[in-house]
């Protein structure tokens, strides 16, 4: 087992400015004497629980989620242990603040609210120097990089370097939801410019003020980045995040068999969707191989879900061709059919024979899907007519508006339940409150990737997996679905409660780790007690004794 490197502990004010080591008023009397802190702190000595109470009191004074986001990011800069103690104390409350939906609004104004830079920024003007720049990072053993080029941030589009809030938020969740040690994580922004004219005119925008670089120069820069990571951080897994479709799919295909990497928008979203479908079928009592799905959105997320679903349907007894034939895509031009000449190669497996219907509700009526899955970022696209059509065709229609943030959801939980007379099996990408239908309160599930990628991360970290495969995401999806109880299903939930996300992640990570060993991807010996081993690798928000 790799031990954490010995840390040279600074003294005096330098110690209180180190977020990894700072304990604020929780430094003991002995630590205060030893590290020159006498007089620099009030005489009262706190513990982490009291410091948490103080944080909660201060948060209660904030009137908006954006204010709470800024406060928590400042806390991260000051006292990392307390930051994670706060989030992990109530994940249901804090995950929507540190990630979706609040992080979307934060990214839109990131250059305005940033107080201290976090992570590594790689400007294309530094081409040829990436390995050198990565070595500027103070940690030598990075295991996870979440990287974006900011071109497709959630459903908000090109936000340039303002998109750095996404890698930061994702890595917060690696730790808060699965105990991945925060010192082993690194957010990275690939700055190749932006085509967002508002940002280019904004004097507070901090990225390169130029049009996006594309083509050969872009590909060479990404190649340099991926290879530099292998050189500087050889045990690191790269998570590609919020790249535009034109780059997301090719990047994953180019590197998935060369290095340890994955794309959460493609594979993580697919994993959580498959988990939702598997749980939903426990409500309908139907077989997976009898399902038919219609996707609103034919980009990397939609095709990623369709691909993984097809593999799981293949495992259920269909040929891969039969499975793909049960997945249909619909985009801005209408139904994706094989006669279209505007399709990308990754869309072609789901381009079937038929008429290119231009209306989504017409596609629902013609194809009679058992489930509709929204990854279009088009708000309100699941109209009353669409939901009512699904409810006519199916006793229990599956309705998954997965687009983030909330403002881009294809429909709300209330709309789906109301228009289906309470019969819809619903899950969304962003959270919605419970809905009262008749004498029953329905609790909408959140198809949040947080059920998948932190657990995958914990398993990859514990096993030092050399690759991340689709088999691991299928295993994770099944493990998530298995944790949904009958009581959860009765309330309308098709995902485990977020309040127990840490324990859920452990159980998923154990199953994924088993798959990693089965596939021969692990770079450590297989332990006798895999769950005990994984738990021993987890980080907890506890102040360290410095003496």
């Amino acid at each position: 087992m790799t031990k954490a490197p010995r840390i040279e502990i600074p003294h005096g004010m330098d110690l209180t400015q180190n977020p990894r080591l700072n304990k604020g008023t929780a430094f003991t009397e002995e630590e205060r004497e030893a590290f020159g802190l006498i007089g620099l702190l009030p005489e009262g000595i706190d513990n982490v629980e009291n410091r948490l109470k103080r944080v909660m009191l201060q948060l209660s004074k904030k009137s908006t989620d954006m204010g709470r986001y800024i406060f928590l990011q400042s806390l991260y800069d000051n006292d990392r242990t307390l930051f994670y103690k706060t989030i992990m104390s109530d994940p249901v409350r804090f995950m929507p603040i540190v990630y979706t939906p609040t992080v979307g609004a934060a990214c839109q104004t990131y250059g305005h609210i940033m107080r201290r830079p976090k992570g590594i920024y790689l400007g294309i003007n530094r081409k040829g120097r990436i390995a050198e720049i990565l070595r500027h990072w103070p940690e030598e053993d990075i295991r996870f990089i979440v990287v974006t080029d900011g071109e497709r941030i959630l459903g908000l589009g090109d936000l340039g370097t303002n998109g750095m809030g996404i890698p930061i938020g994702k890595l917060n969740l690696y730790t808060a939801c699965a105990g991945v040690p925060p010192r082993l994580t690194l957010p990275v922004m690939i700055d190749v410019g932006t085509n967002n004219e508002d940002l280019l005119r904004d004097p507070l925008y901090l990225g390169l003020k130029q049009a996006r670089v594309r083509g050969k120069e872009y590909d060479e820069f990404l190649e340099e980045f991926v290879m530099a990571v292998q050189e500087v951080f050889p045990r690191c897994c790269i998570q590609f995040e919020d790249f535009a479709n034109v780059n997301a799919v090719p990047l994953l295909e180019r590197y998935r068999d060369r290095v340890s990497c994955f794309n959460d928008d493609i594979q993580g979203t697919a994993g959580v969707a498959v988990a939702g479908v598997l749980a939903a079928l426990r409500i309908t009592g139907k077989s997976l191989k009898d399902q038919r799905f219609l996707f609103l959105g034919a980009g990397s997320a939609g095709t990623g879900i369709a691909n993984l679903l097809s593999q799981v349907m293949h495992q259920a007894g269909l040929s891969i061709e039969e499975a793909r034939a049960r997945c249909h895509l619909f985009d801005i031009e209408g139904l994706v059919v094989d006669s279209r000449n505007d399709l990308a190669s990754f869309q072609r497996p789901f381009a079937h024979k038929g008429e290119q219907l231009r209306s989504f509700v017409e596609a629902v009526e013609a194809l009679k899907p058992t489930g509709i899955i929204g990854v279009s970022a088009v708000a309100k696209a699941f109209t009353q007519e669409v939901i009512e059509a699904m409810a006519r065709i199916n006793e229990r229609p599956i309705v998954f508006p997965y687009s983030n943030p909330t403002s881009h959801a294809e429909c709300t939980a209330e709309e789906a339940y109301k228009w289906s007379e309470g019969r819809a099996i619903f899950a969304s990408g962003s959270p919605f409150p419970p809905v009262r239908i008749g004498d029953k309160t329905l609790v909408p599930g959140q198809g949040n990737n947080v059920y998948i990628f932190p657990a995958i991360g914990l398993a990859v970290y514990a096993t030092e997996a050399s690759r991340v495969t689709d088999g691991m995401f299928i295993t994770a999806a099944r493990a998530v679905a298995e944790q949904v109880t009958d009581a959860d299903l009765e309330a309308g939930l098709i995902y485990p409660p977020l309040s127990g996300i840490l324990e859920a992640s452990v159980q998923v990570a154990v199953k994924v780790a088993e798959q990693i060993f089965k596939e021969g991807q692990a770079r450590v010996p297989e332990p006798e007690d895999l769950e005990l081993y994984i738990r021993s690798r987890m980080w907890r928000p506890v102040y360290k004794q410095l003496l």
Side-chain angles (χ1 to χ4, degrees):
M1 184 183 299
T2 303
K3 293 183 179 179
R6 185 172 179 81
I7 301 171
E8 189 70 29
I9 299 175
H11 281 232
M13 291 298 291
D14 288 341
L15 179 53
T16 66
Q17 297 301 310
N18 184 314
R20 270 189 62 191
L21 301 176
N22 183 31
K23 298 160 68 170
T25 50
F27 283 109
T28 66
E29 179 69 18
E30 293 77 15
E31 289 169 337
R32 295 176 187 217
E33 287 283 2
F35 299 112
L37 297 174
I38 300 297
L40 301 181
L41 299 168
E43 289 294 341
I45 296 177
D46 270 333
N47 56 30
V48 70
E49 300 301 333
N50 270 351
R51 286 179 62 74
L52 177 60
K53 289 177 183 177
R54 192 172 291 111
V55 166
M56 294 299 188
L57 181 63
Q58 293 169 5
L59 279 168
S60 71
K61 308 293 184 185
K62 306 293 180 183
S63 59
T64 66
D65 280 346
M66 181 62 77
R68 297 179 190 102
Y69 175 89
I70 294 170
F71 174 87
L72 287 170
Q73 290 303 315
S74 295
L75 180 61
Y76 178 92
D77 292 336
N78 178 259
D79 183 337
R80 206 147 297 167
T81 301
L82 187 56
F83 169 82
Y84 284 111
K85 181 75 172 177
T86 301
I87 298 173
M88 295 168 81
S89 72
D90 191 348
V92 175
R93 176 183 177 186
F94 289 112
M95 276 200 292
I97 297 173
V98 299
Y99 203 63
T100 55
T102 308
V103 74
C107 285
Q108 288 176 304
T109 57
Y110 199 76
H112 298 189
I113 66 173
M114 187 175 73
R115 297 184 177 184
R116 182 185 294 184
K118 300 177 179 70
I120 288 282
Y121 290 80
L122 298 173
I124 197 163
N125 55 317
R126 312 293 182 186
K127 189 177 180 183
R129 298 180 60 190
I130 294 181
E132 171 198 345
I133 294 169
L134 291 177
R135 288 192 176 95
H136 291 168
W137 192 249
E139 298 290 343
E140 295 181 358
D141 185 21
I142 293 299
R143 300 297 186 87
F144 290 98
I145 283 175
V146 175
V147 60
T148 186
D149 69 355
E151 188 168 9
R152 200 224 67 185
I153 297 300
L154 301 175
L156 303 170
D158 185 351
L159 297 184
T161 59
N162 282 5
M164 184 55 135
I166 297 297
I168 291 167
K170 285 279 187 177
L171 290 171
N172 288 164
L173 298 183
Y174 266 87
T175 299
C177 300
V180 174
R183 68 180 178 82
L184 303 181
T185 67
L186 174 61
V188 173
M189 167 56 64
I190 300 286
D191 186 359
V192 296
T194 178
N195 293 336
N196 186 322
E197 293 295 333
D198 290 338
L199 294 179
L200 293 173
R201 289 191 296 267
D202 184 353
L204 297 183
Y205 177 64
L206 291 166
L208 290 172
K209 292 195 173 182
Q210 64 179 49
R212 281 189 172 272
V213 171
R214 300 204 185 276
K216 181 181 178 182
E217 188 177 0
Y218 177 94
D219 292 340
E220 289 175 348
F221 195 57
L222 267 293
E223 174 74 10
E224 182 188 350
F225 163 69
V226 172
M227 292 301 103
V229 171
Q230 310 314 301
E231 176 186 339
V232 180
F233 307 122
R235 291 187 290 179
C236 183
C237 176
I238 300 171
Q239 176 181 325
F240 296 108
E241 187 71 27
D242 284 2
F243 286 79
N245 292 334
V246 66
N247 292 316
V249 175
L251 279 172
L252 181 60
E253 291 306 308
R254 190 178 306 144
Y255 294 112
R256 66 188 303 166
D257 295 325
R258 292 173 58 191
V259 304
S260 179
C261 70
F262 68 97
N263 184 304
D264 187 52
D265 303 305
I266 299 173
Q267 295 159 291
T269 301
V272 82
V274 169
V277 167
L278 294 175
L281 295 182
R282 288 170 56 191
I283 296 175
T284 66
K286 306 288 186 178
S287 167
L288 177 60
K289 62 184 182 181
D290 294 328
Q291 305 306 300
R292 188 180 299 276
F293 300 95
L294 176 60
F295 296 82
L296 182 59
S300 56
T303 55
I305 299 171
N307 269 312
L308 207 67
L309 262 176
S310 296
Q311 292 181 52
V312 178
M313 294 168 84
H314 177 47
Q315 292 175 357
L318 298 178
S319 71
I320 194 66
E321 292 76 19
E322 289 171 330
R324 288 172 177 166
R326 291 181 170 275
C327 295
H328 298 263
L329 309 177
F330 191 99
D331 64 9
I332 193 170
E333 298 298 329
L335 191 64
V336 173
V337 293
D338 63 357
S339 59
R340 285 176 53 173
N341 57 13
D342 61 342
L343 300 179
S345 59
F346 64 87
Q347 296 168 318
R348 281 284 168 196
F350 304 100
H352 309 307
K353 294 187 182 299
E355 181 184 355
Q356 187 182 344
L357 301 171
R358 300 284 183 171
S359 161
F360 190 70
V361 71
E362 287 179 355
V364 169
E365 297 281 11
L367 297 172
K368 295 182 169 41
T370 54
I372 52 174
I373 298 174
V375 283
S376 66
V378 179
K380 305 298 183 181
F382 289 172
T383 62
Q384 181 172 353
E385 193 177 9
V386 167
I387 302 299
E388 287 178 348
M390 285 294 294
R392 281 197 308 274
I393 296 165
N394 303 282
E395 177 61 28
R396 299 301 304 271
I398 296 170
V399 179
F400 290 172
Y402 277 151
S403 291
N404 284 316
T406 310
S407 58
H408 287 251
E410 285 80 6
C411 70
T412 68
E414 184 176 13
E415 289 166 345
Y417 290 137
K418 179 181 176 182
W419 295 334
S420 67
E421 299 176 327
R423 292 186 283 116
I425 302 173
F426 178 91
S428 55
S430 291
F432 285 104
V435 177
R436 188 76 177 173
I437 298 290
D439 60 353
K440 189 172 184 179
T441 298
L442 297 172
V443 182
Q446 186 184 357
N448 193 323
N449 291 22
V450 77
Y451 287 110
I452 300 291
F453 73 83
I456 293 271
L458 178 57
V460 168
Y461 163 59
T463 63
E464 299 187 18
S466 58
R467 298 289 183 271
V468 183
T469 67
D470 281 351
M472 298 173 197
F473 283 94
I474 292 172
T475 298
R478 292 189 185 280
V480 170
E482 287 170 3
Q483 294 182 66
V484 181
T485 67
D486 291 342
D488 294 332
L489 296 174
E490 180 63 25
L493 277 172
I494 55 172
Y495 294 101
L498 279 172
S499 57
I501 187 63
L502 186 63
E503 185 58 29
S505 292
V506 172
Q507 299 307 317
V508 175
V510 170
K511 297 287 189 181
V512 173
E514 290 174 353
Q515 179 71 19
I516 290 170
F517 282 108
K518 180 180 177 181
E519 293 183 9
Q521 300 288 358
R523 289 183 282 191
V524 301
E526 185 169 2
E528 290 185 11
D529 189 329
L530 188 53
E531 181 174 338
L532 182 64
Y533 171 70
I534 285 176
R535 289 185 185 276
S536 75
R537 305 292 279 153
M538 295 172 68
W539 181 88
R540 304 283 180 174
V542 177
Y543 283 133
K544 290 180 172 56
Q545 296 299 316
L546 300 184
L547 291 175

